[in-house]
Amino acid sequence: TGSTRPQRLLRAVQKKATQGDPQSVIATIDHFCRHSEWAMNVGDEKGSILDSVVTELNPSSALELGTYCGYSTVRIARLLPPGSKLITLEFNPAYAAVARQVIAWAGLNDKVQLVEGPSGDLIPQMKELFGVQTFDFVFLDHWKDRYLPDTKLLEECGLLRKGTVLLADNVICPGTPEYLEYIRNSSRYESRYFKSHLEYTKVEDGLEKSVFLG
Ligand SMILES: O=C(NCc1cccc(CNc2ccc3[nH]ncc3c2)c1)c1cc(-c2ccc(F)cc2)cc(O)c1O
Ligand SMILES: [Mg+2]
């Protein structure tokens, strides 16, 4: 029984990145994915767009759907102001186990709460389980056919407020057609597409930024 790709990614982080230095964790993962093994992290190009959206918003409460190895978790959490919280949901226990160690290596445990389970079950429990009122920022990067149902669930559970920003990865590749159709035609959102590339490739992909209007 050999190692998995997430485990090899984690080993690279623990070998090459500086403990407590989120930027070196990000750089190590990007190098690993570019020169050793591709992995489905948001990557450096789309990651810079993610950084600018988070920096401009300066969110106190943030939600990430789809942790994977924790790359975007680290990108987001490193930019959060003191006292703010990022809740990240991961369904796959093996991914969650790797992500916990990547987040710890980056020294971001006090800003991140990783919760294992499916978004469909956890979103309705956010208020009672985690004392969340509403989210200022949501990053969608989990199963692409869950983007739309989970966005509707966030609305129904009163977890969005006027001005909440949703940022969706992979709206071109692999693609989220139903989500794009809904969000771009809904009068309750103001959306903008940020053209980019699929992580570590020349294939087109992009991020859709949508502001909830209430
Ligand atoms: O599919 C993707 N990511 C989602 C994903 C995928 C697998 C497992 C999980 C398990 N995690 C999970 C699931 C359900 C969940 N519910 N609540 C939380 C939660 C968490 C999540 C993806 C694919 C590609 C891609 C691949 C190949 C290719 F050629 C081009 C592009 C690029 C990306 O950037 C991607 O993000
Ligand atoms: Mg993605």
Side-chain angles (χ1 to χ4, degrees):
T1 57
S3 65
T4 65
R5 181 168 308 186
Q7 286 170 328
R8 293 192 291 273
L9 181 151
L10 171 61
R11 195 169 59 223
V13 166
Q14 294 172 331
K15 186 162 179 259
K16 300 195 181 77
T18 307
Q19 268 190 305
D21 177 354
Q23 193 48 47
S24 80
V25 168
I26 292 164
T28 300
I29 294 173
D30 284 330
H31 187 276
F32 176 83
C33 293
R34 208 173 274 289
H35 302 291
S36 301
E37 300 184 69
W38 186 92
M40 60 179 177
N41 315 118
V42 74
D44 48 349
E45 192 179 309
K46 289 187 287 179
S48 297
I49 300 166
L50 170 62
D51 289 357
S52 58
V53 170
V54 173
T55 303
E56 182 193 351
L57 197 60
N58 211 29
S60 305
S61 74
L63 173 67
E64 175 181 59
L65 303 177
T67 317
Y68 188 41
C69 295
Y71 174 88
S72 48
T73 319
V74 167
R75 284 203 84 111
I76 296 165
R78 85 191 200 283
L79 299 173
L80 294 181
S84 52
K85 195 85 183 172
L86 169 62
I87 296 174
T88 182
L89 307 187
E90 182 48 60
F91 173 70
N92 180 310
Y95 293 169
V98 165
R100 289 189 197 283
Q101 296 177 78
V102 168
I103 293 157
W105 197 267
L108 293 166
N109 278 332
D110 60 343
K111 289 191 185 300
V112 176
Q113 176 153 23
L114 195 162
V115 186
E116 285 183 51
S119 49
D121 298 352
L122 291 168
I123 287 171
Q125 300 179 63
M126 282 289 141
K127 295 196 179 205
E128 61 186 303
L129 285 182
F130 311 110
V132 168
Q133 308 300 323
T134 57
F135 289 112
D136 302 323
F137 176 70
V138 182
F139 182 55
L140 298 94
D141 193 22
H142 57 334
W143 286 335
K144 306 316 162 191
D145 61 0
R146 287 298 314 173
Y147 285 22
L148 181 52
D150 286 345
T151 297
K152 289 181 173 175
L153 199 50
L154 286 164
E155 289 174 18
E156 286 153 18
C157 296
L159 286 163
L160 306 181
R161 56 142 174 96
K162 194 186 295 288
T164 296
V165 168
L166 305 186
L167 190 65
D169 190 25
N170 310 118
V171 297
I172 303 299
C173 176
T176 62
E178 302 85 8
Y179 174 78
L180 279 188
E181 164 81 17
Y182 173 81
I183 208 94
R184 288 176 173 173
N185 295 306
S186 166
S187 58
R188 302 184 74 186
Y189 294 89
E190 187 60 50
S191 292
R192 181 183 159 193
Y193 174 61
F194 290 80
K195 184 177 160 81
S196 184
H197 295 93
L198 176 67
E199 48 268 26
Y200 317 114
T201 78
K202 292 186 168 48
V203 173
E204 181 178 344
D205 189 21
L207 301 169
E208 187 83 358
K209 176 188 174 188
S210 305
V211 183
F212 186 60
L213 303 174

